[in-house]
Amino acid sequence: MNFLPIPRLHPDHPAAFPPAAQALEEPNGLLAWGGDLSPERLGAAYRQGIFPWFSEGQPPLWWCPDPRAVFDTRGIRLPGRFRRQLRKSPWTVRADTCFDAVVDACARAPRPGQDGTWILPAMQEAYGRLHRLGHAHSIEVFDGDTLVGGLYGVASGEMFSAESMFSGQSGGSKVALAALGHWLSGWGWPLIDAQVGNPHLMSLGAHEMPRASYLARLADLAGRPGRPGNWSALPPLAAASLAGVSGG
């Protein structure tokens, strides 16, 4: 299988990626192909602003789009009507108590305009390994004992790269995102990488950053100590406490 003009990754050098500036303009950000989904390669990719995204039957494809969609951790916006509903919500938010269930729910979530999912079994297994090593994390929204929303992603130092989110009940993913912003901003982490923007993310406060600017910020943030390990010791957060998040 040939993916010229992009390079193929060397199987024995998991940290070696081409410079992001070599990524294609069309499709936006396609940088390299091949390699594997080992923790070493995934960790190196995220520290360099690169992520995998590919479909069934394809080898791993690696991306670094320009511009980059990001959230300021203090800049997440919830719609006013939703915030009013949230004040009476019994939901609670936890972290890292059911990572595999969140990833599975994200894989099964219907996506408008998409047939199937890119969160293939190999991807689920790969992020599960990263989670057990303390580098991938899930934010989970519960109604009693029922999982009603969540997201998962990868932490590189003090940068969090959000991979996917889902809502089992309306608004579940919004609450997970707001809770993530709450925790990260409390730790002094400034950004959430959302990779590629869309109207829904922009309505929640995401904005676009030139790739060069994003990579410069990442180089600083990824070099910081961060919070490796399991986050399940975080005290559960009442979803109603997030009702004060600005509606912009």
Side-chain angles (χ1 to χ4, degrees), residues 172-188:
S173 63
K174 293 186 181 74
V175 169
L177 179 63
L180 175 64
H182 170 82
W183 276 319
L184 296 185
S185 64
W187 299 341

Side-chain angles (χ1 to χ4, degrees), residues 9 23 34 45 63 90 93 133-134 154-155 160 162 169 177 179 182 206 215 221 229 233 238 245:
L9 298 184
W63 303 77
V93 190
L133 290 169
V154 177
F160 190 92
Q169 294 184 24
L177 179 63
H182 170 82
L215 292 175
L221 295 171
V245 172

